[in-house]
Amino acid sequence: MLFKTRFHDGLRSGAIDLTFRRWDRPQAKPGGRYRVGADIELAVSSVGEVELDDVTPAEADRAGFGDLQELLRMLARDGGKRVFHVEFAARSSKPVPIPTSELSGRELAELAERLRAMDKRAKAGPWAEPTLALVAAHPQRRAGDLAQMCRRETRLFKTDVRKLKKLGLTRSFEIGYELTERGRQVLSALADGGTG
């Protein structure tokens, strides 16, 4: 499967684990492995046909798009074909750089403000600081366990952790997550109220 270069970092980090394709018939199959670029391999877990009206904002985020409308615009460019939903796990031989340097006061304030903005947009209420705190308290714990602890659906919990990962605040393991140094700095600042 082909992906534009702008999606490669998300594939390498695991932030992108879903894609939508316009095909006359399926061009990928569950259990299949597909190369992307020189260092990324996708292991496909499911392929299914979907209706555009059923695609959700959370799925657009998982596919690496800024919002649902951006994904729908991309799919509209190649109209007339069936739409397929492809889920996969990506592996890369290229290490993903994770920022570890000390954040400046300004960077810390900007990140905290960004998290607050995410929280304001969330219909279910604030999630960013509680999620960071939960991951800090339970490193490498199963996502399903963490979701149960905060009474959230596992799929939605994973989507939120991916948002934090894109900001360099968490890292993923085969099982569970942990905070990066940057994530610890942001959580500490939020807990202290020192970024407001």
Side-chain angles (χ1 to χ4, degrees):
M1 285 184 287
L2 297 176
F3 285 82
K4 291 183 178 177
T5 306
R6 76 181 182 96
F7 295 107
H8 287 194
D9 284 345
L11 292 170
R12 289 187 187 102
S13 72
I16 297 174
D17 63 1
L18 171 67
T19 188
F20 290 87
R21 300 294 163 127
R22 285 274 199 182
W23 289 326
D24 289 321
R25 62 182 184 279
Q27 301 295 309
K29 61 182 181 181
R33 293 183 178 274
Y34 304 89
R35 298 291 297 183
V36 177
D39 64 296
I40 304 167
E41 182 181 74
L42 308 183
V44 172
S45 56
S46 71
V47 179
E49 190 170 359
V50 297
E51 296 295 328
L52 283 180
D53 290 345
D54 294 331
V55 180
T56 67
E59 288 174 323
D61 180 70
R62 288 176 60 196
F65 290 87
D67 57 37
L68 178 58
Q69 294 310 310
E70 183 187 1
L71 170 60
L72 295 178
R73 283 194 298 273
M74 184 275 293
L75 290 171
R77 292 187 201 122
D78 192 17
K81 296 181 180 179
R82 298 154 66 190
V83 178
F84 290 89
H85 166 286
V86 182
E87 291 189 275
F88 53 80
R91 293 190 182 277
S92 174
S93 57
K94 181 177 181 179
V96 179
I98 297 173
T100 57
S101 59
E102 188 79 19
L103 290 166
S104 69
R106 180 177 177 177
E107 289 171 324
L108 204 51
E110 286 174 355
L111 266 174
E113 186 53 41
R114 189 162 178 184
L115 294 179
R116 289 191 188 103
M118 288 177 173
D119 279 346
K120 284 180 185 175
R121 292 193 301 269
K123 292 179 182 177
W127 61 270
E129 183 179 348
T131 301
L132 285 173
L134 191 62
V135 170
H138 304 281
Q140 298 190 48
R141 186 78 175 262
R142 287 180 59 250
D145 293 342
L146 297 175
Q148 190 173 24
M149 288 178 196
C150 59
R151 297 185 174 92
R152 302 201 63 207
E153 185 184 335
T154 301
R155 179 178 57 83
L156 297 177
F157 179 81
K158 285 182 171 182
T159 295
D160 284 343
V161 174
R162 272 191 288 272
K163 292 174 187 174
L164 298 174
K165 187 174 184 177
K166 286 179 183 178
L167 295 175
L169 305 181
T170 66
R171 62 169 60 91
S172 300
F173 293 88
E174 192 166 330
I175 297 175
Y177 319 95
E178 72 176 21
L179 296 191
T180 61
E181 177 57 33
R182 203 175 158 91
R184 287 190 285 273
Q185 290 174 51
V186 170
L187 178 61
S188 177
L190 287 170
D192 292 343
T195 59

